[in-house]
Amino acid sequence: MGGANRTAVTEYVLLGLLGHHNLEVALLVLCLGIYCMNMLGNSLLIGLNVLDPCLHSPMYFFLSNLSLVDICGTSSFVPFMLVNFLKAQRIISFPGCALQMYLTLALGSTECLLLVVMAYDRYVAICQPLRYAELMSGQTCILMVVLSWGIGFANSLLHSIVTWRLPFCGRNVINHFFCEILAVLQLACGDISFNALLLMVATTVLSMTPFLLICLSYIFILAAILRVPSAAGRRKAFSTCSAHVTVVVVFYGTISFMYFKPKAKDPDLDKIIALFYGVVTPSLNPIIYSLRNAEVKAATIALLGGDLLSRKMSCFSCCSTTASGRIG
């Protein structure tokens, strides 16, 4: 019976903002601009990390992964949502809905874990500087990133399996812009208490535990900075952490606002807030790191001036010439 209920629905209707077409047109223009800024900014950060040898460090390796998560996270639902804003009937297939729900949850979980990995990197850099090369070796960094992605996607797979095993009884109207897991669970006609418990446990383990670890890291970092005798040394130590702290505050601040604010009388307002969390927050990371990080600003100026690409091409030519000489 459960299988019949699941296969009976081959497509879903995304409700969006029913009866507010003018507002949806305004959201289309706004979200398109923010999405383009997100793609450009995060792609620039990844490109700078690849091109500039000065950015070949664990911190920027983690930042590149964070940018990749932001690109993939918004791309998993924003383009389809923008097209739907222009349609009277917003239809998504069952496989498309399942994939969208899986990716948004997986990438959100991965971002939480990457933020705590970045906090650990800053802790080691400031509190254990003499052991930094040992503790943050290339192999260790790759392992931490692989674990972050792996745990995030495994968590989402578990939620997807238990969600789609529920009986849905042919209900197919999702009261949201995209296939968000809570909106999908509202369609179930069976008991979702286990799903709610699983979500609560996962949120605690993958969101709140990383947040507590980040706070603990910065307690140790702050104590170490305050022991630095010179004001210049304290400023330099603070500057290496300021961008990451700002990203963490924005990320967890928006999550807290979404989930701990009083429920809006108008359900459409909650959907718009969730939309801005998914679209706006990822676009802020490259802005924060560009404005608060001297190395990123220097690499950006070198790229715009053409110096970075010319240095990379000359380095590539030298490597090719050396390799040819060795072969010859």
Side-chain angles (χ1 to χ4, degrees), residues 58 61-62 117 120 132-147:
F61 174 64
F62 298 139
V117 166
Y120 175 71
Y132 185 79
E134 174 193 349
L135 295 175
M136 301 301 296
S137 65
Q139 187 176 1
T140 301
C141 293
I142 292 172
L143 178 61
M144 288 193 289
V145 164
V146 169
L147 283 175

Side-chain angles (χ1 to χ4, degrees), residues 47-191:
L48 290 175
N49 183 63
V50 172
L51 293 172
D52 193 345
C54 296
L55 302 183
H56 292 175
S57 66
M59 181 174 73
Y60 294 108
F61 174 64
F62 298 139
L63 178 58
S64 294
N65 277 271
L66 187 66
S67 294
L68 183 59
V69 167
D70 288 336
I71 289 172
C72 295
T74 52
S75 298
S76 65
F77 73 95
V78 171
F80 188 84
M81 181 190 70
L82 294 178
V83 172
N84 276 346
F85 278 147
L86 302 174
K87 297 179 180 178
Q89 186 81 346
R90 292 85 183 269
I91 303 295
I92 185 170
S93 66
F94 172 79
C97 184
L99 180 63
Q100 196 175 75
M101 188 187 81
Y102 174 72
L103 289 176
T104 52
L105 185 59
L107 293 162
S109 303
T110 302
E111 182 155 4
C112 290
L113 296 172
L114 284 174
L115 287 174
V116 75
V117 166
M118 294 173 76
Y120 175 71
D121 171 69
R122 293 298 83 204
Y123 162 76
V124 175
I126 293 174
C127 299
Q128 303 281 339
L130 299 180
R131 299 186 62 202
Y132 185 79
E134 174 193 349
L135 295 175
M136 301 301 296
S137 65
Q139 187 176 1
T140 301
C141 293
I142 292 172
L143 178 61
M144 288 193 289
V145 164
V146 169
L147 283 175
S148 299
W149 285 85
I151 293 172
F153 276 74
N155 169 66
S156 183
L157 180 61
L158 175 62
H159 286 293
S160 297
I161 290 171
V162 297
T163 296
W164 296 115
R165 287 178 63 86
L166 290 168
F168 285 92
C169 308
R171 298 167 64 184
N172 72 333
V173 179
I174 297 175
N175 189 20
H176 214 297
F177 296 106
F178 59 97
C179 291
E180 194 259 348
I181 186 168
L182 293 177
V184 171
L185 284 174
Q186 290 176 2
L187 302 183
C189 54
D191 182 17

Side-chain angles (χ1 to χ4, degrees), residues 208-267:
M208 297 314 299
T209 302
F211 178 69
L212 293 176
L213 290 174
I214 290 170
C215 291
L216 183 62
S217 297
Y218 277 105
I219 289 172
F220 287 115
I221 288 171
L222 183 60
I225 290 175
L226 293 177
R227 288 197 298 267
V228 175
S230 67
R234 287 195 294 270
R235 279 196 301 272
K236 184 177 179 181
F238 271 120
S239 69
T240 64
C241 302
S242 59
H244 179 254
V245 170
T246 307
V247 168
V248 169
V249 169
V250 170
F251 182 78
Y252 280 99
T254 50
I255 288 179
S256 301
F257 178 75
M258 279 179 58
Y259 291 104
F260 297 112
K261 70 176 181 61
K263 193 169 181 63
K265 294 180 180 178
D266 185 358

Side-chain angles (χ1 to χ4, degrees), residues 237-313:
F238 271 120
S239 69
T240 64
C241 302
S242 59
H244 179 254
V245 170
T246 307
V247 168
V248 169
V249 169
V250 170
F251 182 78
Y252 280 99
T254 50
I255 288 179
S256 301
F257 178 75
M258 279 179 58
Y259 291 104
F260 297 112
K261 70 176 181 61
K263 193 169 181 63
K265 294 180 180 178
D266 185 358
D268 287 340
L269 181 59
D270 282 325
K271 286 187 278 187
I272 293 174
I273 292 171
L275 173 63
F276 272 87
Y277 161 72
V279 177
V280 175
T281 305
S283 67
L284 295 178
N285 292 349
I287 297 174
I288 292 168
Y289 272 95
S290 298
L291 292 177
R292 304 184 71 87
N293 192 292
E295 291 174 318
V296 173
K297 284 191 282 189
T300 304
I301 293 170
L303 179 65
L304 293 175
D307 298 335
L308 191 57
L309 285 175
S310 62
R311 288 203 304 265
K312 193 70 177 179
M313 291 303 295

